[in-house]
Amino acid sequence: MIPSEPPGAGPALAETVRGLQERAARALPAEVVEHADGWWLRHDSGSSWWVASVLPHGPDGPGGPGTSAATAGLARRVARAEEFYARHGGTARFQITPDACPAGLDALLAGRGYDRSHPVSLQAAAVAEIPGQRAGGPLRVRIEDRPVDAWFGVWLAVRGEGAGAAAWGLLDRVAGPSAYARVLDGDETVAVGRAVADSGWAGVFAMATLPAARGRGAGGRVLGALAEWAGAHGATGLYLQVERDNPAALRLYARAGFREVCTYHYRTAGAKP
């Protein structure tokens, strides 16, 4: 799928979505990853909770969607995932993307008492269509290949999660080419973001702007700088993931040319019925 085109449906869309989500999993590498029949079972003891979720890709199972054999197979795979999280002292949580994960999984998890939460929009844009950096003005952008204290400080000040050695450890595990963008107002870092290049795409993560600097185009500067970096590293498309209840971020990404590819949500183990 070309990022600037409206997404379609069916196998082509599912393949695109799986590819982007697996790139994101490599850009947000958990401490422990176990691959089981196409599912990514991920555990992380200190980073953001979504890093430690199941990415349930792979076939529907024997017999095809909706059959008793497929349902039984799904139940076995869910039980294996639950055993994985019990072993590691974590909570079982699944990332559910219609058409990209097995049919019937969402309903099966609901029946097992899993709570639904956190609707997310997966969005993409062509690198060539992202507005470039504007010349002039007090804001300037710096890109480094490693996170510095000033970059990390803004991220933690805005998001307040993934703090400490665990977050640094996650970034140390990223294997792909990475860019850490900072927008400076004078000597002060006021906005940040990062990107990871992977097989023709670059994922955008950790976008954050200090409250006092909002409304001045800092977020757009970050995206423009990361797009230029991505293009120089062979990427033709950018992708990102944004919670659907974040209107300010949705507006920023729409202005930059991002379009929704699909939506997904999470199912988290709760009280059994």
Side-chain angles (χ1 to χ4, degrees), residues 89-182:
T91 299
R93 180 179 289 110
F94 290 74
Q95 183 175 313
I96 303 296
T97 309
D99 299 324
C101 68
L105 178 59
D106 196 32
L108 186 151
L109 293 172
R112 292 172 75 93
Y114 279 67
D115 299 319
R116 175 176 174 148
S117 65
H118 295 89
V120 177
S121 174
L122 173 63
Q123 302 195 358
V127 166
E129 294 183 357
I130 303 294
Q133 298 188 61
R134 299 188 303 274
L139 301 180
R140 54 196 174 88
V141 185
R142 180 175 297 169
I143 289 187
E144 288 130 336
D145 60 6
R146 298 289 302 164
V148 297
D149 288 341
W151 184 97
F152 212 79
V154 170
W155 167 244
L156 294 183
V158 173
R159 302 303 297 265
E161 52 193 17
W168 283 101
L170 181 147
L171 297 178
D172 283 340
R173 290 192 294 273
V174 178
S178 299
Y180 294 83
R182 294 190 289 142

Side-chain angles (χ1 to χ4, degrees), residues 8-18 99:
L13 174 62
E15 182 179 358
T16 296
V17 170
R18 291 188 189 108
D99 299 324

Side-chain angles (χ1 to χ4, degrees), residues 34-37 41 75-85:
E34 182 178 305
H35 296 277
D37 298 324
L41 312 181
R76 286 193 295 270
R77 296 168 81 181
V78 169
R80 178 173 178 176
E82 291 172 340
E83 291 169 1
F84 170 86
Y85 287 100

Side-chain angles (χ1 to χ4, degrees), residues 203-223:
V204 175
F205 307 91
M207 292 285 294
T209 302
L210 293 177
R214 291 172 186 167
R216 300 173 56 195
R221 289 289 186 98
V222 170
L223 286 174

